[in-house]
Amino acid sequence: MTAQLIDGNALSRKIRAEVAERVASLKGRGLQPGLAVVLVGENPASQVYVKHKVADCESTGMRSVLEKYDATLSEADLLARVRALNADPSIHGILVQLPLPPHIDAHKVIETISPAKDVDGFHVHSAGALMVGQPGFKPCTPYGCMKMLESIGCNPRGKNAVVIGRSNIVGKPMAMLLLQASATVTICHSATPDLAEHTRRADIVVAAVGKRNVLTADMVKPGAVVIDVGMNRDDAGKLCGDVDFAGVSQVAGWITPVPGGVGPMTRAMLLVNTLEAAERAAAAAV
Ligand code: GUN
């Protein structure tokens, strides 16, 4: 392996420690940041994710409230819960875990969350703020990827960046953040005829497709920074990303592992967003 590892576990630990310090300072002023996590149904992966989110909050001194509902909860009742959390001054961030059961319109639920509490950064208001460079909440995964670039001293300015994937949660906001940082950004997706033609020119590649081996060694420019957002299982059932790690790490300059790369950073940035929501609420109350 020639590439250096970008250690998401170590970086997220550092960020969590900084969050804990800022939480302590807010608490000294009589305000404890609070996150509400809403889970509807029994999706096993979602249950694990929300458990981590709640534990993360508590480990930094924040309050977290986990609201669990049966999969039969009506859309109207969920919207009523979100409105109640919007009005609750002890709650600064609201996260409704996705996916929601099919009878609930996820878009409607996200749009009901107050933009001031949209710590996932999924609301149209947050997406619009990111697009026009106004303050708002950045979606946690792309925000974490930017922090990883910063941690290795990689300034995207003037670099060619390729984002593989165009989801609202990762691909599109990732491209916006890289653009804001003055990279020349290309978004590739399932209808891109020759992906390698783009990735071979890239100084930074972010793979966010949800498919194994989307990026192989022959597709990477020597020395490039490769960020793997994927979370898949290989044939042996082992966790793996979108990038052929064994091959690409022979060519890239920097690479994120899976697990231990982007995943812990996503969790850390949720804490940062929740803290920022509480700090903004505190500033508005002065
Ligand atoms: N489901 C999987 N990842 C996420 C996330 O980051 N936020 C929410 N709300 N749901 C998810």
Side-chain angles (χ1 to χ4, degrees):
M1 168 161 157
T2 59
Q4 297 191 65
L5 271 192
I6 311 178
D7 183 344
N9 282 326
L11 183 57
S12 70
R13 259 197 305 277
K14 194 166 148 240
I15 291 173
R16 280 201 307 271
E18 288 163 7
V19 167
E21 269 180 38
R22 280 162 67 189
V23 169
S25 148
L26 267 185
K27 276 172 144 176
R29 292 155 54 198
L31 191 144
Q32 184 181 27
L35 173 71
V37 179
V38 181
L39 175 64
V40 183
E42 315 276 309
N43 182 312
S46 292
Q47 285 180 333
V48 174
Y49 288 143
V50 300
K51 206 173 81 191
H52 285 147
K53 287 169 186 175
V54 168
D56 286 347
C57 267
E58 283 162 11
S59 75
T60 55
M62 297 198 219
R63 192 168 81 93
S64 71
V65 180
L66 174 57
E67 296 196 3
K68 279 188 176 179
Y69 297 103
D70 222 70
T72 55
L73 181 76
S74 73
E75 183 181 279
D77 284 348
L78 179 56
L79 294 178
R81 269 319 297 153
V82 170
R83 289 192 192 98
L85 292 166
N86 283 343
D88 181 343
S90 74
I91 294 296
H92 304 97
I94 302 171
L95 183 147
V96 178
Q97 187 67 22
L98 303 177
L100 287 166
H103 66 279
I104 297 178
D105 179 349
H107 180 71
K108 211 159 147 187
V109 174
I110 290 165
E111 294 314 302
T112 301
I113 297 172
S114 162
K117 299 189 178 187
D118 175 38
V119 288
D120 255 333
F122 293 172
H123 195 288
V124 163
H125 181 280
S126 305
L130 179 58
M131 178 96 172
V132 297
Q134 287 295 307
F137 293 110
K138 302 175 191 76
C140 302
T141 299
Y143 192 8
C145 293
M146 293 303 286
K147 287 282 173 199
M148 291 179 119
L149 292 178
E150 191 187 305
S151 77
I152 58 163
C154 173
N155 181 351
R157 184 176 189 85
K159 304 237 163 66
N160 286 327
V162 167
V163 178
I164 316 172
R166 54 174 156 178
S167 72
N168 290 333
I169 292 175
V170 184
K172 284 190 233 172
M174 186 75 236
M176 279 298 140
L177 287 169
L178 287 163
L179 183 62
Q180 214 171 62
S182 300
T184 301
V185 183
T186 305
I187 307 176
C188 297
H189 45 77
S190 50
T192 301
D194 186 353
L195 178 60
E197 174 204 343
H198 299 282
T199 57
R200 276 192 204 115
R201 285 189 283 110
D203 306 299
I204 300 167
V205 183
V206 181
V209 179
K211 220 169 82 187
R212 281 166 57 194
N213 299 333
V214 155
L215 192 74
T216 48
D218 57 305
M219 299 166 74
V220 175
K221 177 173 158 178
V225 179
V226 174
I227 298 196
D228 191 349
V229 179
M231 190 75 93
N232 312 298
R233 298 255 169 210
D234 66 14
D235 295 332
K238 217 173 112 223
L239 210 55
C240 67
D242 289 354
V243 173
D244 168 28
F245 184 88
V248 171
S249 59
Q250 302 299 320
V251 182
W254 292 90
I255 191 166
T256 66
V258 177
V262 174
M265 290 303 295
T266 298
R267 285 166 55 186
M269 299 327 286
L270 175 65
L271 300 175
V272 170
N273 278 350
T274 304
L275 171 66
E276 279 175 9
E279 286 176 342
R280 286 179 207 173
V286 173

